């Protein structure tokens, strides 16, 4: 039998060799060959990396941070690492801690210096035995992934027991979710009410073989600034070393909280359940008067009657969110993306349904004598249909119309923006706490807005302070009827199952909506928020300037 050729041996062993070569690419080629090339071709830049004061300061900082992480138990046994990107007059430099070194004894002169592309510009001198020769960190390609994909200014890698155990709370889970924990606020773009998900990737035998998995996780979780590695540790990054360190410490707190909460039988990824304060004949389940129970447990104070509403129904624009957020952020966002969204999703069932609604609206408008762009059928071709649909939507937006057809399409455009993190719901600061207090008091809260129910869910689910949907019981839009018609409120009252519409409280900034709700028997409070139009005198409704004042209007 003929011996196998070298080419065939490589072919048979390709999977393992591919992973091995990925690591060798960094540790042989990058660390030594590129270092040699840099020294020969650019001796001033390579050997003078330590001459740049910004680089020297970063080296000292990395050594200091490594010692701190060691003292906190994050980088024991030479594990873990840190890299910091440094702007210099000679271009960006990356200072990276070496591999296999006792982190608490690391010195500034032990650091590698790389350029922005990851090429080694400076290799530290070897220390005498028993120290090993300097070796570029196996984390290098993973650090570079965060620099490239997130524009990070610093990346930290740790092996704490809390990060290790957090990946084992559910051995099959691809993410760890946490919510309603104060330290979530330390993660950029997150708030107390956020349901913050940290991706979990599976470990590999060698660190550098994790690169593809880490890159995929970074791209799949744009809101996370960390990636957990099962049975291993965590990578955390930030726009600079201060943000990276802050977030590393906050994530560590969150991981420990998740582990300890599980030991208590609690799930860190679920919002806390409200206390039992449901009223029966004016009394809570334990016999205490419901109004008193609400004051003590829920943090809300009933109006002069001492009663609480069965449900609170909230408008959005001008009531819980500023008018400027809707008019200056959401509307322009949708308008700018009308054509691109329709072209990109034209064949989808969702977009075809939106186009069908727009055609129906155009036909109804024409029958009503309105001059509106007609939308042809599919036989006219994609280009003609999209052009007509864009013209129709722009005309409706110019007229500040709130048709179901327009709101449906806008909602689908916004959904993409919220999912990609390009949009976040901006609410008045008093709203989140009011929602939490009402739920704790046993009051159900709903939204009734001209925006589609899907758009409402996206806006309330992805706010600047997190996901507020756990505090809401449902959503209503114009499919329940126009907001200025009393029949709409009668329909909603039936859906809520209220014994009397007088048990319901509606909060809005719009006088016509308030009058329609009152005509249906609801109790009403007008929101007087910054940026709202001045309310006319003699309107006859209670007025509140903050959400926590809404219940005072209930009689």
């Amino acid at each position: 039998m003929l011996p196998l050729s070298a080419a065939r041996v490589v072919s048979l062993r390709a999977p393992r060799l591919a992973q091995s070569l990925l690591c060798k690419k960094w540790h042989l080629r990058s660390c030594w060959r590129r270092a040699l090339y840099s020294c020969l071709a650019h001796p001033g830049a390579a050997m003078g990396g330590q001459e740049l004061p910004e680089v020297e300061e970063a080296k000292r900082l990395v050594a200091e941070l490594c010692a701190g992480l060691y003292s906190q138990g994050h980088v024991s046994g030479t594990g873990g690492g840190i890299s910091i990107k440094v702007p210099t007059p000679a271009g960006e430099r990356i200072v990276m801690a070496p591999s296999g070194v006792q982190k608490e004894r690391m010195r500034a002169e032990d650091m590698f210096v790389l350029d922005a592309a990851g090429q080694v510009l400076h290799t530290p001198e070897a220390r005498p035995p028993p120290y090993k020769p300097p070796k570029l960190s196996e984390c290098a390609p993973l650090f570079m992934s965060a620099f490239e994909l997130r524009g990070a200014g610093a990346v930290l890698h740790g092996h704490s027991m809390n990060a290790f155990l957090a990946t084992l709370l559910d051995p099959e889970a691809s993410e760890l979710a946490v919510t309603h924990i104060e330290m979530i606020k330390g993660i950029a773009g997150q708030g107390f009410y956020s349901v913050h998900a940290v991706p979990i990737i599976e470990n590999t035998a060698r660190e550098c073989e994790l690169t593809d998995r880490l890159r995929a996780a970074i791209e799949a979780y744009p809101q996370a600034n960390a990636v957990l590695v099962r049975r291993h540790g965590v990578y955390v990054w930030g726009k600079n070393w201060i943000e990276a360190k802050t977030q590393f410490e906050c994530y560590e707190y969150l991981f420990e909280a998740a582990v300890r909460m599980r030991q208590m039988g609690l799930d860190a990824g679920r919002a806390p359940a409200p206390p039992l304060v449901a009223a029966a004949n004016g009394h809570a389940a334990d016999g205490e008067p419901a109004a008193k129970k609400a004051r003590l447990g829920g943090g809300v104070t009933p109006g002069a009657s001492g009663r609480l509403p069965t449900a609170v129904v909230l408008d959005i624009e001008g009531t819980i969110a500023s008018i400027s957020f809707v008019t200056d952020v959401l509307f322009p966002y949708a308008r700018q993306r009308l054509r691109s969204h329709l072209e990109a999703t034209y064949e989808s069932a969702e977009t075809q349904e939106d186009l069908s609604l727009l055609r129906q609206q155009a036909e109804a408008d024409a029958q009503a004598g309105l001059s509106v762009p007609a939308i042809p059928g599919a036989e006219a071709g994609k280009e003609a249909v999209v052009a007509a649909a864009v013209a129709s939507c722009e005309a409706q937006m110019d007229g500040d119309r709130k048709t179901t057809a327009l709101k449906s399409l806008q909602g689908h455009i916004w959904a993409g923006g919220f999912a990609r993190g390009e949009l976040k719901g901006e609410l008045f600061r008093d709203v989140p706490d009011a929602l939490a207090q009402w739920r704790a008091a046993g009051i159900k809260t709903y939204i009734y807005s001209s925006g589609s129910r899907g758009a409402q869910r996206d806006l309330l689910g992805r706010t600047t302070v997190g996901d507020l949907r756990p505090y809401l019981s449902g959503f209503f839009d114009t499919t329940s009827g126009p907001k200025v018609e009393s029949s709409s409120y009668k329909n909603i009252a039936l859906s809520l199952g209220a014994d009397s519409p007088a048990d319901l409280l509606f909060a809005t900034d719009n006088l016509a909506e308030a009058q329609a709700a009152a005509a249906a028997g609801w109790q009403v409070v007008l929101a007087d928020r910054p940026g709202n139009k001045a309310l006319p005198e003699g309107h006859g409704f209670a007025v509140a300037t903050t959400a926590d004042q809404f219940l005072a209007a209930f009689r």
Side-chain angles (χ1 to χ4, degrees):
M1 183 175 180
L2 293 175
L4 291 172
S5 68
R8 191 162 174 215
V9 171
V10 170
S11 174
L12 291 173
R13 299 174 59 192
R16 292 187 61 187
L17 283 174
Q19 293 179 334
S20 178
L21 288 173
L22 177 63
C23 299
K24 290 180 180 178
K25 172 185 175 182
W26 281 89
H27 288 285
L28 295 178
R29 183 177 166 195
S30 293
C31 188
W32 299 113
R33 295 181 183 176
R34 289 180 179 175
L36 179 60
Y37 170 81
S38 297
C39 291
L40 294 175
H42 308 286
M47 300 306 295
Q50 58 263 52
E51 296 175 3
L52 296 169
E54 300 88 351
V55 172
E56 288 303 296
E57 173 61 24
K59 288 181 177 181
R60 290 190 291 270
L61 180 58
V62 170
E64 177 185 333
L65 292 175
C66 282
L69 293 181
Y70 172 84
S71 68
Q72 296 169 353
H74 301 310
V75 292
S76 58
T78 77
I82 300 176
S83 61
I84 295 178
K85 184 182 290 185
V86 187
T88 76
E92 288 187 335
R93 297 289 183 263
I94 294 172
V95 175
M96 191 175 297
S99 179
V101 178
Q102 302 290 330
K103 296 300 187 289
E104 76 278 15
R105 297 187 59 81
M106 205 170 282
R107 309 170 307 171
E109 51 265 39
D110 295 330
M111 306 303 161
F112 282 82
V113 180
L114 292 71
D115 66 13
Q119 294 187 359
V120 175
L121 299 178
H122 169 72
T123 298
E125 293 183 3
R127 299 172 69 177
Y131 292 99
K132 297 178 180 179
K135 177 183 176 184
L136 184 65
S137 173
E138 286 218 351
C139 302
L142 293 99
F143 289 151
M144 295 303 299
S145 295
F147 288 134
E148 174 193 345
L149 298 178
R150 285 298 178 81
V155 188
L156 282 66
H157 173 45
H159 292 174
S160 78
M161 183 57 66
N162 290 321
F164 174 89
L165 292 176
T167 68
L168 300 179
L169 294 177
D170 182 349
E172 304 298 323
S174 60
E175 65 181 34
L176 173 74
V178 292
T179 186
H180 288 70
I181 301 174
E182 178 66 14
M183 294 298 277
I184 295 177
K185 290 158 56 175
I187 309 302
Q190 303 300 310
F192 176 77
Y193 298 97
S194 295
V195 179
H196 185 52
V198 182
I200 302 174
I201 61 176
E202 298 300 327
N203 197 20
T204 56
R206 296 190 65 185
E207 197 110 19
C208 51
E209 295 169 1
L210 285 169
T211 305
D212 289 344
R213 297 177 185 179
L214 182 114
R215 291 178 69 90
I218 289 176
E219 292 176 334
Y221 287 79
Q223 304 302 313
N225 292 313
V227 173
L228 282 162
V229 183
R230 199 178 317 275
R231 295 178 178 272
H232 181 149
V234 66
Y235 287 84
V236 181
W237 54 86
K239 62 185 179 182
N240 52 50
W241 74 266
I242 294 177
E243 183 177 88
K245 176 178 179 291
T246 299
Q247 294 189 140
F248 187 94
E249 293 169 353
C250 290
Y251 275 119
E252 174 66 15
Y253 181 101
L254 296 174
F255 300 153
E256 182 175 4
V259 171
R260 293 196 180 195
M261 288 176 70
R262 179 63 60 86
Q263 294 170 344
M264 300 169 62
L266 301 174
D267 184 351
R270 295 181 64 87
L276 184 60
V277 294
N281 295 323
H283 286 73
D286 58 6
E288 192 170 15
K292 179 179 179 183
K293 188 77 172 182
R295 287 194 297 271
L296 296 177
V300 300
T301 302
S305 67
R307 297 193 311 126
L308 292 173
T310 300
V312 175
V313 179
L314 301 170
D315 172 46
I316 293 180
E317 183 181 357
T319 302
I320 63 173
S322 68
I323 292 176
S324 62
F325 172 68
V326 178
T327 59
D328 298 344
V329 178
L330 292 183
F331 287 171
Y333 184 92
R335 190 183 193 108
Q336 293 166 6
R337 291 162 177 80
L338 280 171
R339 183 178 298 277
S340 60
H341 173 83
L342 289 171
E343 290 177 343
T345 64
Y346 184 80
E347 302 297 337
S348 69
E350 181 179 86
T351 294
Q352 287 300 313
E353 176 62 24
D354 284 339
L355 291 171
S356 177
L357 290 174
L358 287 170
R359 288 190 188 97
Q360 295 172 26
Q361 184 64 52
E363 292 170 0
D365 289 345
Q367 292 176 4
L370 299 177
S371 178
V372 295
I375 302 177
E379 66 278 0
K382 174 180 175 179
E383 184 176 350
V385 172
V386 169
V390 170
S392 174
C393 290
E394 290 179 341
Q396 292 186 58
M397 295 179 74
D398 290 341
D400 194 25
R401 300 185 64 189
K402 303 181 186 299
T403 66
T404 299
L406 174 63
K407 293 302 178 182
S408 177
L409 178 56
Q410 286 177 324
H412 292 144
I413 295 174
W414 292 330
F418 282 112
R420 291 187 295 270
E422 297 170 356
L423 291 173
K424 279 188 177 291
E426 299 176 15
L427 307 182
F428 290 115
R429 296 186 61 167
D430 51 83
V431 171
D433 287 342
L435 294 178
Q437 291 168 0
W438 297 341
R439 192 185 74 155
I443 302 171
K444 293 185 176 181
T445 305
Y446 299 83
I447 301 295
Y448 180 29
S449 173
S450 57
S452 69
R453 286 174 294 181
Q456 295 172 32
R457 285 178 53 81
D458 288 331
L459 190 150
L460 274 299
R462 299 176 186 271
T463 76
T464 54
V465 297
D467 187 356
L468 296 178
R469 291 174 300 177
Y471 297 95
L472 299 168
S473 297
F475 302 87
F476 297 97
D477 60 14
T478 53
T479 59
S480 295
K483 294 184 69 181
V484 294
E485 294 183 6
S486 62
S487 59
S488 304
Y489 298 88
K490 293 177 182 177
N491 290 335
I492 293 175
L494 290 173
S495 298
L496 298 181
D499 292 334
S500 168
D503 294 332
L504 305 174
L505 178 65
F506 179 54
T508 180
D509 69 310
N510 187 294
L511 181 58
E513 295 174 3
Q515 292 169 338
W522 291 47
Q523 296 199 45
V524 179
V525 58
L526 279 172
D528 185 10
R529 295 290 205 169
N532 287 10
K533 294 181 179 179
L535 295 170
E537 295 183 3
H539 53 70
F541 293 102
V543 176
T545 57
T546 60
D548 54 14
Q549 296 175 359
F550 289 169
L551 297 191
F554 191 76
R555 301 183 298 277

